[in-house]
Amino acid sequence: MNKSQPAPAHAAAAGVVSVAAGVVAGELAAVLVSPALSPMTGVGGAVIDAVPPVVKDWAIAVFGTGDKLALLIGMGLAMAALAALAGVLEWRRRFAGVAVIAVFGVVGLVAVLGRAQVTGNATVLPLLAAGTGILVLRWLVSRLRDWKTAPTAAERPGPEKPGLERPPAPAAGRRRFLQALGGGAVVATAGGVLAAALRGAAAGVSEFRSRLALPSASSPAPPLPAGAELGLDGISPLVTPNRDFYRIDTALTVPAVDPDSWVLKVTGLVEREIELDFATLLSKPMTERHVTIACVSNEVGGDLIGNALWLGWPVRELLAMAGPKSGADMVLSRSKDGWTAGTPLEVLTDDRDALVAVGMNGEPLPLEHGFPVRLVVPGLYGYVSATKWLTELKVTRFADDVGYWTPRGWSARGPIKTSSRIDVPRAGRPVRAGTVAFGGVAWAQHTGIGKVELRVNRGDWQAAELAPGISRDTWYQWQLALTLTPGQYEIQVRATDLQGVPQIEAPSRVAPDGATGFHTIRVDVTP
């Protein structure tokens, strides 16, 4: 054997290319036969489900709305490491690396079988991916063996008879292996780009959305109150632009839901089950309202919260058509990707503006925010209310059903807690002595904010100027100018709702029902 070249390194590269080819084959096939579920999204979804809540909280705290990208990168690195190991094992012992890739296939199959969107077509994809990876690995390793076992020029005997070829030289074997390896890498890369384009862009859905004209609201949003927008530089805008709106969900890739085939079902403890298609929904009398929604994983002072202008049909009208039966106290909403939320029935049938929403800030819902249809419920954290890519409302009981997060340690009901945040000045940024402008937002959804106060170095509370709120379902802006001399200061903010109840001072973590405590920043004031 030619020992002058690092065979394990080449075998590791062969393993990475082989597994990449298998993954791409599975993803490309999914575009054709299983758009809602591929091996990668199945495994990613299973990872998200299996990770303990404390790890999810850490990921959100560290990566914010980039947590999905971080997960994909982490999965890719882990798969590359195992793929390299498969290549080395296959080089050292035949079928050892094949066994590793077979395990990949089994793991993918188990993950796909555990997803709500599983179909017969989807179950074939992990096996296709593993089979492709195995075939490519066997082919590349055989080329590598041809190279490494080729005799040198001195070792090669001449042909015994005219017309016979001499055994291949190491250089020829090396060239054949590298050509095969490079060709496999190019094909895998091109296939990956194609799969990403086809699956990620959701071209047909995006085109439908771009051409969709939303109906006018029969109940338009009231005009913004004069002075609701303070205009303080650096403060969060009163209405959060779609591009800046936070996104937290369990969907590894954004579901591409075809509005032409979309149906919303109302099932369970109802007098009449209902099926509603998209065209029928758009024909209903629409309500337009500003509503602030928040993620339960939002830390004190965090940015997993936003305020938007939503357009939709009131949920109470839909449920009234179905007629909930006596004893029902919960609605289990289901997403296209299988995610569920358990929402108290009373908040979907009272006078609040809970919407089956189709529009966000004057345009159809962005794909990542639930197109074509999502739920928006004032006053509740998103994990019990804000179902995106909505497909079903099941009227049921808390005693009989649970949403996705409840068995994972979160409370069954999630009312948003009164809170406030300092946006300016930014923590850790020095400011000049003199008059320092402080500002931020405060919220107590479906209750409303009565006042906001600041205190310096745990001194007396000072009332801030509170801008008029759009409604009790949105956040309010506030500002206060303080005169500060050079030094270091601790600044805290607290809000009090319209019922006179101040926000909770005692710090608590986000689990199981939302963080509490005063947002605190430290400001360095320079001469």
Side-chain angles (χ1 to χ4, degrees), residues 206-215 259 278 282 358 363-365 371-372:
S206 295
E207 182 181 358
F208 185 105
R209 179 184 177 275
S210 67
R211 293 186 285 104
L212 177 63
L214 292 175
F278 192 58
L282 292 182
V358 297
E363 63 181 69
L365 293 169
F371 183 83

Side-chain angles (χ1 to χ4, degrees), residues 58 149 156 169 183 223 227 256 290 294 365 377 424 450 488 497:
W58 171 84
T149 58
R156 286 185 299 140
H290 288 93
L365 293 169
V377 182
V424 289
Q488 292 184 332
D497 68 21

